[in-house]
Amino acid sequence: MRVDGRSNDALRKIEIVPNYIIHPEGSVLISIGQTKVICNATIEDKVPPFMRGQKKGWITAEYSMLPRATPERTIREAARGKLTGRTMEIQRLIGRALRSVVDLTKMGERTIWIDCDVIQADGGTRTASITGAFVAMILAFQKAVERKQIAKIPVTAYLAATSVGVHPQHGPILDLCYAEDSTTNVDMNIVMTSRGEYIEIQGTGEEAPFSDDQLAQLIALAKKGIGQLIEAERQVIGDLLTGEKEGSKR
Amino acid sequence: MRVDGRSNDALRKIEIVPNYIIHPEGSVLISIGQTKVICNATIEDKVPPFMRGQKKGWITAEYSMLPRATPERTIREAARGKLTGRTMEIQRLIGRALRSVVDLTKMGERTIWIDCDVIQADGGTRTASITGAFVAMILAFQKAVERKQIAKIPVTAYLAATSVGVHPQHGPILDLCYAEDSTTNVDMNIVMTSRGEYIEIQGTGEEAPFSDDQLAQLIALAKKGIGQLIEAERQVIGDLLTGEKEGSKR
Amino acid sequence: MRVDGRSNDALRKIEIVPNYIIHPEGSVLISIGQTKVICNATIEDKVPPFMRGQKKGWITAEYSMLPRATPERTIREAARGKLTGRTMEIQRLIGRALRSVVDLTKMGERTIWIDCDVIQADGGTRTASITGAFVAMILAFQKAVERKQIAKIPVTAYLAATSVGVHPQHGPILDLCYAEDSTTNVDMNIVMTSRGEYIEIQGTGEEAPFSDDQLAQLIALAKKGIGQLIEAERQVIGDLLTGEKEGSKR
Amino acid sequence: MRVDGRSNDALRKIEIVPNYIIHPEGSVLISIGQTKVICNATIEDKVPPFMRGQKKGWITAEYSMLPRATPERTIREAARGKLTGRTMEIQRLIGRALRSVVDLTKMGERTIWIDCDVIQADGGTRTASITGAFVAMILAFQKAVERKQIAKIPVTAYLAATSVGVHPQHGPILDLCYAEDSTTNVDMNIVMTSRGEYIEIQGTGEEAPFSDDQLAQLIALAKKGIGQLIEAERQVIGDLLTGEKEGSKR
Amino acid sequence: MRVDGRSNDALRKIEIVPNYIIHPEGSVLISIGQTKVICNATIEDKVPPFMRGQKKGWITAEYSMLPRATPERTIREAARGKLTGRTMEIQRLIGRALRSVVDLTKMGERTIWIDCDVIQADGGTRTASITGAFVAMILAFQKAVERKQIAKIPVTAYLAATSVGVHPQHGPILDLCYAEDSTTNVDMNIVMTSRGEYIEIQGTGEEAPFSDDQLAQLIALAKKGIGQLIEAERQVIGDLLTGEKEGSKR
Amino acid sequence: MRVDGRSNDALRKIEIVPNYIIHPEGSVLISIGQTKVICNATIEDKVPPFMRGQKKGWITAEYSMLPRATPERTIREAARGKLTGRTMEIQRLIGRALRSVVDLTKMGERTIWIDCDVIQADGGTRTASITGAFVAMILAFQKAVERKQIAKIPVTAYLAATSVGVHPQHGPILDLCYAEDSTTNVDMNIVMTSRGEYIEIQGTGEEAPFSDDQLAQLIALAKKGIGQLIEAERQVIGDLLTGEKEGSKR
């Protein structure tokens, strides 16, 4: 049995609190077990220089952890004066994932800034960030619709992410907590849409390479978890995605 | 009447949630009205180089705001690659204030790191940080006593902080919210102990100089507010400060 | 008796050399005892981006110390690649203080850059910088009047600053030299106008809190010192401030 | 037909020049079509601080491109003062991949620094870097064996990497050149061992999500390419890996 | 006899490979003995801000060494986050030297970026960079003529550079390799034109001052070497400089 | 006639004020015409890491200009966060020059830090810095002799520096002021000893190459100026250099 008593294919408890912070256009506190991330979405009425004049919008993300989100205090990146490679990887991943389900041509020349701040970490912070950021982004788009900035939410599918891994004792498992993450040989983060398509697969076998069989099992676990995460998103934001009706028929 | 209906000498609602984050030795979520700050205290078993070999401890603070703690998104200091002058001023102030009520010779060669992260800002974030940080520090010292690292909590007084200012319409007021702070001519932050002594007075009249009379009124308001804040601290951490009995007789 | 033989309420020798450096619009070498600061004022015919289009001017300050202004050599901030928190605090303070006595709407869209470079330090460098910077700024405004950029000097009051503190042996004292500053429990910097109003009070009791009585004594000492400093300014720049006639009647 | 006339499952021309630079312990110039990378391996007789005292070695990588490796000149990271997120991702990937096939406990407390400098880029620079770096690392280990620093080469498998993608016209294709890379919807980098196991899968469908079918086709293409790349490695470094006999039987 | 058997007035073997990298407008691999530098020239259709509106072009250079260009690995400047003083000196020198033989008024408002990347170092990298950069720049100008951006190559003379020094055993010597450079007392870099005029003399006698006699001998050696280097340039780029006919008559 | 009425071979007025700042071991204010530099020398009782254990001392220099040392205000390098290439070149030059006349083996494992801060600039700041720094260094060595840290001043010759150039109207001239420096085609800085030997020659003909004849004339002017500068040094520090008696006989 896993360290917290879960079965190999069980997610931890999911909680998504909408409108958590008062100022942002979209704000969510997402908890996946003990991992807690504040995801805020800001609408800015311009795009970065490299996007200007293309009549398209842009979505970009930043990620950070409070110093004591972790068991040991980590030095602030602001104090170090630069971002770690890990942070850069994660914020690039979040931005890419969100952009993949948005029709940027329907946003106007606007940027959505996603801020994911991990206030408590227990494994899976990047996948929780993606899932929470998706909801915060939808809330911001709802605000933009209310403000008549856009006609409808320009999103083509629901999107969620989870982690899977190969544990030395338990084999393939879903949604790793920190204790599992640090003892797991293979570690994989998967982002998928409500249409069952892949947005990102990032698997690494630094400690031990993995086989075709293991890859298949990991993917199956991820699909199950992502389905449940998308269901949790739907509880919060309802059934209002552009084209989602058609999409869900496929 | 003030923007939120308070009288000139009224604090906003105070809420102090202890043990808010699971990992730190001391953790508090403090809310002063809509201003919300996570204050975490970490015990490290060494002191910075300039303190080594003095058989004394050290207390230092870091302060940050989430980008959307504010009505407009502010750029992350980690992204800018350096701290603003405002942040440096505030974190120096928090550290100085806490050290003033701790007997550093009773801590062993340990450092307490205080992390104040503003998740939602509505004025008075630096004073809320000091008040919250004091409680988080006490919780960390309690943990150190439990762990038998120190014999008792080496603190000489309760400590709290508040802001006062001279409003163009209302005159001297206590505990400014953001709407008031941005229209106020004189702005003053005061840190005091439970013995009624001053730790810090920082008053600035950039927009309009202030007179001896106004100074006296501001100080009287601050004293009233700080008394109530210390009472709120006592609700959370109880009556356990070293020498506080004697102190309260004075 | 104090380390240099002064009475508790005595300033050190004040010397203000105008037109010290040939290039700046305003330039002063101010000596307060052994503390020597070159204060240069530069007029720039534009304002920073956040001030554009407001038909107002801006005043900003930078502060630095030569590495051997101090008994021990300190590392250059240019070599470290960033400013210390202390420097940021001081330069923000100088800028704020000067702006408080200038009618920015009478300057046109111009910036005055104040550069305070401490070539020799013996305590009180930030207050000497403010006093010297005020004179350098007036000299620059005189140049702007000569050049017909502005009609008259847009300053509403004289301004000076000094330090006071509570010495363990001598009690409250005025104008601390370095030897006193490093042994003093309470340290306070005060900036006042020729109208007897406060611009800044920054008092800190890190080593020992201070009482209402001590606060009152410190303020009285500061008032005395600031009066003499303003008299010294008047010797250099004469009686030419806008509205000063009315002001001095109060 | 593809832009350079290849079939969908064809690699570009592979060339690996060993001992390209005279100073490093291992040095290779690898060309995959027009992509050219100098891969240098340096043996250092100590490990980074976080590895000290563990009786293990460490392998770390750095990656850079000459400014005109690309059609447009890119700004040097040294001139910008910091690494881009892309560079950090790539160098972390290279290091992780190499460590996965090395028995670090057989290296002594040594570090191998891998430097991959792209002198000419035409797509696939990160995967060419991994393949070239693997050969450079083996050459460095051979030098360490000659110098009697280690008894034999502590490598558990051959390793190579390639890119695959889904092209809007051609469908799944192997080994993308730059012209293809910039028009491809799905982009995937795969690192595998000579045992047919996965070290890394990094697939992203920012432009268009991908299906299970497409994933299977991409993996099949990658396996074919990696087999040929490992054959090319064998031409240069021979059949001398620890345990490779057993491995090659599978 | 010198460490590599040369006479005191002999250059090492010169090799200049034109069109080495495919993307740049001009590209050269220059080898002077074991020193190898890739010199790329990029034409950009604008000038830096300080040159705008002057109807002139600009030429600027950047210089770097691969970490293992040297016997010991050196830390990347991109990883350190800043350029060393040595790098800055060298790139300023290269830019200045090239500009001295170009009629900037005949380039249009264009910048030529010169990138000198040392892939293998054995002394004399800065002078090899200048010589190689001159050829790369000419190739880029030829491309600009082909593209009809400019009417003819706006260069007034050939240009080359070499190093000379005073060796403790051999006395004045030409073209120092690394082993000689590190044992030489006096070190001088000289840049001259095909007209026998000086562009730069940079001589330093940190280890031992030098006399008028030695200066004369060093200059004579440099002249001899530079003549041969210019001859090698002519082999690659031919006899096509503007005004070179007249120049060579002087 | 030159802009300030001097003949082509005349220096500007030299003034060297010893013991200018009270804290440093050696301190000088040097004025060469309107150029004014504070040169401070600090003795530190250790050497930098790369010199440890060699039983030798080290001399290193830092150089800076006050923002309004110049006609236009220049941005502080501390505010920019990095040194310019010009500053790096100059401080490397000053350090190298001073080390060339010191017997580092007679200093013990000590560092002399030279700080040259230009408070007013009118051309020739780097050469004035070298000349002033030489005197400050001697004063610091005298202090070290008084403190019995060293037996005698470990200097082998006097040292001074000046600038020469080729002016379009006046031809070769000595000691360029700023107005001349900015219109001069050839610019050369020369550092020589009291024995008539060269320490540094740095000549650049960016605007126009220079001939053998011009080089000879420039050197003759520099020799004359340096002789007078060394005489001025002697007025301040007397005839006390190790071995100078013998030296001056040569």
Side-chain angles (χ1 to χ4, degrees), chain A residues 58 83-86 88-89 92 96 99-100 193 197-206 209-212 215 219 223, chain D residues 58 83-86 88-89 92 96 99-100 193 197-206 209-212 215 219 223:
Chain A
W58 189 244
L83 303 180
T84 62
R86 179 183 175 276
M88 288 210 192
E89 262 182 48
R92 282 156 59 90
R96 227 159 46 218
R99 287 192 299 272
S100 75
T193 69
E197 291 166 319
Y198 300 94
I199 298 299
E200 289 271 344
I201 300 181
Q202 295 201 340
T204 180
E206 180 176 342
F210 53 101
S211 65
D212 283 313
L215 176 58
I219 284 175
K223 281 183 178 171
Chain D
W58 187 244
L83 303 180
T84 62
R86 179 184 175 274
M88 287 209 192
E89 261 181 48
R92 282 157 57 91
R96 226 158 48 216
R99 287 193 299 271
S100 74
T193 69
E197 292 167 318
Y198 301 94
I199 299 299
E200 289 271 343
I201 299 181
Q202 294 201 339
T204 180
E206 180 176 343
F210 52 102
S211 65
D212 282 314
L215 176 59
I219 283 175
K223 281 182 177 170

Coordinates of all heavy atoms in Angstrom, one line a residue, chain A residues 58 83-86 88-89 92 96 99-100 193 197-206 209-212 215 219 223, chain D residues 58 83-86 88-89 92 96 99-100 193 197-206 209-212 215 219 223:
Chain A
W58 N -1.9 36.5 -26.3 CA -0.8 35.7 -25.8 C -1.1 35.3 -24.4 O -1.9 36.0 -23.7 CB 0.5 36.5 -25.9 CG 1.7 35.7 -25.6 CD1 2.5 35.9 -24.5 CD2 2.2 34.6 -26.3 NE1 3.6 35.0 -24.6 CE2 3.4 34.2 -25.7 CE3 1.8 34.0 -27.5 CZ2 4.2 33.1 -26.1 CZ3 2.6 32.9 -27.9 CH2 3.7 32.5 -27.3
L83 N 16.3 33.2 -11.8 CA 15.4 32.0 -11.7 C 16.3 30.8 -11.9 O 17.2 30.7 -12.6 CB 14.4 32.1 -12.9 CG 13.5 33.3 -12.9 CD1 12.6 33.3 -14.1 CD2 12.8 33.5 -11.6
T84 N 15.8 29.7 -11.2 CA 16.5 28.4 -11.5 C 16.0 27.8 -12.8 O 15.0 28.2 -13.3 CB 16.1 27.4 -10.3 OG1 14.7 27.2 -10.4 CG2 16.5 27.9 -9.0
G85 N 16.8 26.9 -13.3 CA 16.3 26.2 -14.5 C 15.0 25.5 -14.3 O 14.2 25.4 -15.2
R86 N 14.8 24.9 -13.1 CA 13.6 24.2 -12.8 C 12.4 25.2 -12.9 O 11.4 24.8 -13.6 CB 13.6 23.7 -11.4 CG 12.4 23.0 -10.9 CD 12.5 22.5 -9.5 NE 11.2 21.9 -9.0 CZ 10.2 22.7 -8.6 NH1 10.3 24.0 -8.5 NH2 9.0 22.1 -8.2
M88 N 12.2 27.9 -14.7 CA 12.0 28.3 -16.1 C 11.3 27.2 -16.9 O 10.4 27.4 -17.7 CB 13.3 28.6 -16.7 CG 13.9 29.9 -16.2 SD 14.9 30.6 -17.5 CE 15.8 31.8 -16.6
E89 N 11.7 25.9 -16.6 CA 11.1 24.8 -17.3 C 9.6 24.8 -17.0 O 8.8 24.6 -17.9 CB 11.7 23.5 -16.8 CG 12.7 22.9 -17.7 CD 13.3 21.6 -17.1 OE1 12.5 20.7 -16.8 OE2 14.5 21.5 -17.1
R92 N 7.5 27.7 -18.5 CA 7.4 27.5 -20.0 C 6.3 26.5 -20.3 O 5.5 26.6 -21.2 CB 8.7 27.1 -20.6 CG 9.7 28.3 -20.8 CD 11.1 27.9 -20.9 NE 11.4 27.0 -21.9 CZ 11.8 27.3 -23.1 NH1 11.9 28.6 -23.5 NH2 12.1 26.4 -24.0
R96 N 2.8 27.0 -22.3 CA 2.6 26.2 -23.6 C 1.3 25.4 -23.5 O 0.5 25.3 -24.4 CB 3.8 25.2 -23.7 CG 4.4 25.1 -25.0 CD 5.8 24.6 -24.9 NE 5.9 23.4 -24.1 CZ 7.0 23.2 -23.3 NH1 8.0 24.0 -23.2 NH2 7.0 22.1 -22.6
R99 N -1.8 27.7 -23.8 CA -2.0 28.2 -25.1 C -2.6 27.2 -26.1 O -3.2 27.5 -27.0 CB -0.6 28.7 -25.7 CG -0.2 30.0 -25.1 CD 1.0 30.7 -25.8 NE 2.2 29.8 -25.9 CZ 3.1 29.8 -25.0 NH1 3.1 30.6 -23.9 NH2 4.2 29.1 -25.1
S100 N -2.2 25.9 -25.8 CA -2.7 24.8 -26.7 C -4.2 24.7 -26.8 O -4.7 24.1 -27.8 CB -2.0 23.5 -26.3 OG -2.7 23.0 -25.2
T193 N -6.2 16.9 -22.9 CA -7.4 17.7 -23.0 C -8.6 16.8 -22.7 O -8.5 15.5 -22.6 CB -7.6 18.2 -24.5 OG1 -7.8 17.0 -25.3 CG2 -6.4 18.9 -25.0
E197 N -6.7 13.9 -26.0 CA -5.5 14.1 -26.7 C -4.3 14.6 -25.8 O -4.6 15.2 -24.8 CB -5.7 15.1 -27.8 CG -6.6 14.6 -28.9 CD -7.2 15.7 -29.8 OE1 -7.5 16.8 -29.3 OE2 -7.2 15.5 -31.0
Y198 N -3.1 14.4 -26.3 CA -1.9 14.7 -25.5 C -1.5 16.2 -25.8 O -1.5 16.6 -27.0 CB -0.8 13.9 -25.8 CG -1.0 12.4 -25.5 CD1 -1.5 11.6 -26.5 CD2 -0.8 11.9 -24.3 CE1 -1.7 10.2 -26.3 CE2 -1.0 10.6 -24.0 CZ -1.5 9.7 -25.0 OH -1.7 8.4 -24.7
I199 N -1.2 16.9 -24.8 CA -0.6 18.3 -25.0 C 0.9 18.2 -24.7 O 1.7 18.7 -25.4 CB -1.3 19.3 -24.1 CG1 -2.7 19.4 -24.4 CG2 -0.5 20.6 -24.2 CD1 -3.0 19.9 -25.8
E200 N 1.2 17.5 -23.6 CA 2.6 17.3 -23.2 C 2.8 15.9 -22.6 O 2.0 15.5 -21.8 CB 3.0 18.3 -22.1 CG 3.2 19.7 -22.6 CD 4.5 20.1 -23.1 OE1 5.5 19.4 -22.9 OE2 4.6 21.1 -23.8
I201 N 3.9 15.3 -23.0 CA 4.4 14.1 -22.2 C 5.8 14.4 -21.9 O 6.6 14.7 -22.8 CB 4.4 12.9 -23.1 CG1 3.0 12.5 -23.6 CG2 4.9 11.7 -22.4 CD1 2.9 11.3 -24.5
Q202 N 6.1 14.4 -20.6 CA 7.5 14.6 -20.2 C 7.9 13.5 -19.2 O 7.6 13.6 -18.0 CB 7.7 16.0 -19.5 CG 7.4 17.2 -20.5 CD 8.1 18.4 -20.0 OE1 8.4 18.6 -18.8 NE2 8.3 19.4 -20.9
G203 N 8.6 12.5 -19.8 CA 9.0 11.4 -18.9 C 10.5 11.3 -18.8 O 11.1 11.5 -19.8
T204 N 11.0 11.1 -17.6 CA 12.4 10.9 -17.5 C 12.8 9.7 -16.6 O 12.1 9.5 -15.6 CB 13.0 12.2 -16.9 OG1 14.4 12.0 -16.8 CG2 12.4 12.5 -15.5
G205 N 13.7 9.0 -17.1 CA 14.1 7.8 -16.4 C 15.6 7.9 -16.0 O 16.4 7.1 -16.2
E206 N 15.9 9.0 -15.3 CA 17.3 9.3 -14.9 C 17.8 8.1 -14.0 O 18.9 7.6 -14.2 CB 17.4 10.6 -14.1 CG 18.9 10.8 -13.7 CD 19.1 12.2 -13.1 OE1 18.3 13.1 -13.2 OE2 20.2 12.3 -12.4
P209 N 16.0 3.5 -16.7 CA 15.2 3.6 -18.0 C 13.9 2.8 -17.9 O 13.7 2.0 -17.0 CB 16.1 2.9 -19.0 CG 17.5 2.8 -18.3 CD 17.2 2.7 -16.9
F210 N 13.0 3.1 -18.7 CA 11.7 2.4 -18.7 C 11.3 1.8 -20.0 O 11.8 2.2 -21.1 CB 10.5 3.4 -18.2 CG 10.4 4.7 -18.9 CD1 9.4 4.8 -19.9 CD2 11.2 5.7 -18.6 CE1 9.3 6.0 -20.6 CE2 11.1 6.9 -19.3 CZ 10.1 7.1 -20.3
S211 N 10.5 0.8 -19.9 CA 10.2 0.0 -21.1 C 8.9 0.4 -21.8 O 8.1 1.2 -21.2 CB 10.0 -1.5 -20.7 OG 8.9 -1.6 -19.8
D212 N 8.6 -0.2 -23.0 CA 7.4 0.1 -23.6 C 6.2 -0.2 -22.8 O 5.2 0.5 -22.7 CB 7.3 -0.7 -25.0 CG 8.1 -0.1 -26.1 OD1 8.1 1.1 -26.3 OD2 8.9 -0.8 -26.7
L215 N 5.6 2.3 -20.1 CA 5.1 3.6 -20.7 C 3.6 3.4 -20.9 O 2.8 4.4 -20.6 CB 5.8 3.8 -22.1 CG 5.3 5.0 -22.9 CD1 5.4 6.3 -22.1 CD2 6.1 5.1 -24.2
I219 N 0.7 5.8 -19.1 CA -0.3 6.6 -19.8 C -1.7 6.3 -19.4 O -2.5 7.2 -19.3 CB 0.0 6.4 -21.3 CG1 1.3 7.2 -21.7 CG2 -1.2 6.8 -22.2 CD1 1.7 7.0 -23.2
K223 N -4.4 9.0 -17.9 CA -5.7 9.2 -18.5 C -6.8 9.2 -17.5 O -7.7 10.0 -17.5 CB -6.0 8.2 -19.6 CG -5.3 8.5 -20.9 CD -5.7 7.5 -22.0 CE -5.0 7.9 -23.3 NZ -5.2 6.8 -24.3
Chain D
W58 N 29.9 12.7 -10.6 CA 28.8 13.5 -11.1 C 29.0 13.9 -12.6 O 30.2 14.0 -13.0 CB 28.6 14.8 -10.3 CG 27.4 15.6 -10.6 CD1 27.4 16.9 -11.1 CD2 26.0 15.3 -10.4 NE1 26.1 17.3 -11.3 CE2 25.2 16.3 -10.8 CE3 25.4 14.1 -9.9 CZ2 23.8 16.3 -10.8 CZ3 24.0 14.0 -9.9 CH2 23.3 15.1 -10.3
L83 N 21.1 33.1 -18.7 CA 20.8 32.0 -19.6 C 19.3 32.1 -19.9 O 18.5 32.5 -19.0 CB 21.1 30.7 -18.9 CG 22.5 30.5 -18.5 CD1 22.7 29.1 -17.9 CD2 23.4 30.6 -19.7
T84 N 18.9 31.7 -21.1 CA 17.5 31.6 -21.4 C 16.9 30.4 -20.8 O 17.7 29.4 -20.5 CB 17.2 31.6 -22.9 OG1 17.8 30.4 -23.4 CG2 17.8 32.8 -23.6
G85 N 15.6 30.3 -20.7 CA 15.0 29.1 -20.2 C 15.2 27.9 -21.1 O 15.5 26.8 -20.7
R86 N 15.3 28.2 -22.4 CA 15.5 27.1 -23.4 C 16.9 26.5 -23.1 O 17.0 25.3 -23.1 CB 15.5 27.7 -24.8 CG 15.8 26.7 -25.9 CD 15.9 27.4 -27.3 NE 16.3 26.4 -28.3 CZ 17.6 26.2 -28.6 NH1 18.5 26.8 -27.9 NH2 17.9 25.3 -29.5
M88 N 18.6 26.5 -20.3 CA 18.6 25.7 -19.1 C 18.0 24.4 -19.2 O 18.4 23.4 -18.7 CB 17.9 26.5 -18.0 CG 18.7 27.7 -17.6 SD 18.2 28.1 -15.9 CE 19.0 29.7 -15.7
E89 N 16.8 24.3 -19.9 CA 16.1 23.1 -20.2 C 17.0 22.1 -20.9 O 17.1 20.9 -20.5 CB 14.9 23.3 -21.1 CG 13.6 23.4 -20.4 CD 12.5 23.6 -21.3 OE1 12.4 22.9 -22.4 OE2 11.7 24.6 -21.1
R92 N 20.0 20.8 -18.7 CA 19.5 19.9 -17.7 C 19.2 18.5 -18.3 O 19.6 17.5 -17.8 CB 18.3 20.4 -17.0 CG 18.6 21.5 -16.0 CD 17.4 22.4 -15.7 NE 16.3 21.8 -15.3 CZ 15.9 21.5 -14.0 NH1 16.7 21.9 -13.0 NH2 14.8 20.9 -13.7
R96 N 21.1 14.9 -17.4 CA 20.2 13.8 -16.9 C 20.4 12.6 -17.8 O 20.5 11.5 -17.3 CB 18.8 14.3 -17.0 CG 17.9 14.0 -15.8 CD 16.8 15.0 -15.7 NE 16.0 15.1 -17.0 CZ 15.5 16.2 -17.4 NH1 15.6 17.3 -16.7 NH2 14.8 16.2 -18.6
R99 N 23.8 10.9 -17.3 CA 23.9 10.2 -16.0 C 23.1 8.9 -15.9 O 23.5 8.0 -15.2 CB 23.4 11.2 -14.9 CG 24.3 12.3 -14.6 CD 23.9 13.1 -13.3 NE 22.6 13.6 -13.3 CZ 22.2 14.8 -13.7 NH1 23.2 15.7 -14.2 NH2 21.0 15.3 -13.7
S100 N 22.1 8.8 -16.7 CA 21.2 7.6 -16.7 C 22.0 6.4 -17.1 O 21.5 5.3 -16.8 CB 20.0 7.8 -17.5 OG 20.3 7.7 -18.9
T193 N 18.3 4.0 -24.9 CA 19.6 3.3 -24.8 C 19.7 2.2 -25.8 O 18.7 1.9 -26.5 CB 19.7 2.6 -23.4 OG1 18.7 1.5 -23.4 CG2 19.4 3.5 -22.3
E197 N 15.5 0.9 -24.2 CA 14.7 1.5 -23.1 C 14.7 3.0 -23.2 O 15.6 3.6 -23.8 CB 15.3 1.1 -21.8 CG 15.1 -0.4 -21.5 CD 16.0 -0.8 -20.3 OE1 17.2 -0.4 -20.2 OE2 15.5 -1.6 -19.5
Y198 N 13.6 3.6 -22.7 CA 13.5 5.1 -22.7 C 14.3 5.7 -21.6 O 14.2 5.3 -20.4 CB 12.0 5.5 -22.6 CG 11.2 4.9 -23.7 CD1 10.5 3.7 -23.4 CD2 11.0 5.5 -24.9 CE1 9.7 3.2 -24.4 CE2 10.2 5.0 -25.9 CZ 9.5 3.8 -25.6 OH 8.7 3.3 -26.6
I199 N 15.0 6.8 -21.9 CA 15.5 7.7 -20.9 C 14.7 8.9 -20.8 O 14.4 9.4 -19.7 CB 17.0 8.0 -21.3 CG1 17.9 6.8 -21.4 CG2 17.6 9.0 -20.3 CD1 17.9 6.0 -20.1
E200 N 14.3 9.5 -21.9 CA 13.5 10.7 -21.9 C 12.5 10.7 -23.0 O 12.9 10.3 -24.2 CB 14.3 12.0 -22.1 CG 15.2 12.4 -20.9 CD 14.6 13.3 -19.9 OE1 13.5 13.9 -20.2 OE2 15.1 13.4 -18.8
I201 N 11.3 11.1 -22.8 CA 10.3 11.4 -23.8 C 9.9 12.8 -23.5 O 9.4 13.0 -22.4 CB 9.1 10.4 -23.8 CG1 9.6 9.0 -24.0 CG2 8.1 10.9 -24.8 CD1 8.4 8.0 -24.0
Q202 N 10.0 13.7 -24.4 CA 9.5 15.0 -24.3 C 8.8 15.4 -25.5 O 9.4 15.8 -26.5 CB 10.7 16.0 -24.0 CG 11.4 15.8 -22.7 CD 12.2 17.0 -22.3 OE1 12.5 17.9 -23.1 NE2 12.5 17.0 -21.0
G203 N 7.5 15.3 -25.4 CA 6.6 15.6 -26.6 C 5.7 16.8 -26.2 O 5.1 16.8 -25.1
T204 N 5.6 17.7 -27.2 CA 4.7 18.8 -26.9 C 3.8 19.1 -28.1 O 4.3 19.1 -29.3 CB 5.5 20.1 -26.5 OG1 4.6 21.1 -26.3 CG2 6.5 20.5 -27.6
G205 N 2.6 19.3 -27.9 CA 1.6 19.6 -29.0 C 1.0 21.0 -28.8 O -0.2 21.1 -28.8
E206 N 1.9 22.0 -28.7 CA 1.4 23.3 -28.4 C 0.5 23.7 -29.6 O -0.6 24.3 -29.4 CB 2.5 24.3 -28.3 CG 2.0 25.7 -28.1 CD 3.1 26.8 -27.8 OE1 4.2 26.4 -27.5 OE2 2.8 28.0 -28.0
P209 N -2.8 19.2 -30.4 CA -2.7 18.0 -29.6 C -2.5 16.8 -30.5 O -2.8 16.8 -31.7 CB -4.0 17.9 -28.9 CG -4.7 19.2 -29.0 CD -4.2 19.8 -30.3
F210 N -2.0 15.7 -29.9 CA -1.7 14.5 -30.7 C -2.4 13.3 -30.0 O -2.7 13.3 -28.8 CB -0.2 14.2 -30.9 CG 0.6 14.2 -29.7 CD1 1.0 13.0 -29.1 CD2 1.0 15.4 -29.1 CE1 1.9 13.0 -28.0 CE2 1.9 15.4 -28.0 CZ 2.3 14.2 -27.4
S211 N -2.7 12.3 -30.9 CA -3.5 11.2 -30.4 C -2.6 10.0 -30.1 O -1.4 10.0 -30.3 CB -4.4 10.8 -31.6 OG -3.6 10.3 -32.6
D212 N -3.2 9.0 -29.5 CA -2.5 7.7 -29.2 C -1.8 7.1 -30.4 O -0.7 6.7 -30.3 CB -3.5 6.7 -28.6 CG -3.8 7.0 -27.1 OD1 -2.9 7.3 -26.3 OD2 -5.0 6.9 -26.8
L215 N 1.2 9.1 -31.3 CA 2.3 8.8 -30.4 C 3.0 7.5 -30.7 O 4.2 7.4 -30.7 CB 1.7 8.8 -28.9 CG 2.6 8.4 -27.8 CD1 3.8 9.3 -27.7 CD2 1.9 8.3 -26.5
I219 N 7.0 7.1 -31.8 CA 7.9 6.3 -31.1 C 8.6 5.3 -32.0 O 9.9 5.0 -31.9 CB 7.2 5.6 -29.9 CG1 7.0 6.7 -28.8 CG2 8.0 4.4 -29.4 CD1 6.2 6.2 -27.6
K223 N 12.7 5.0 -32.6 CA 13.5 3.8 -32.3 C 14.4 3.5 -33.5 O 15.5 3.1 -33.3 CB 12.5 2.6 -32.1 CG 12.0 2.6 -30.6 CD 11.1 1.4 -30.4 CE 10.6 1.3 -29.0 NZ 9.6 0.3 -28.8

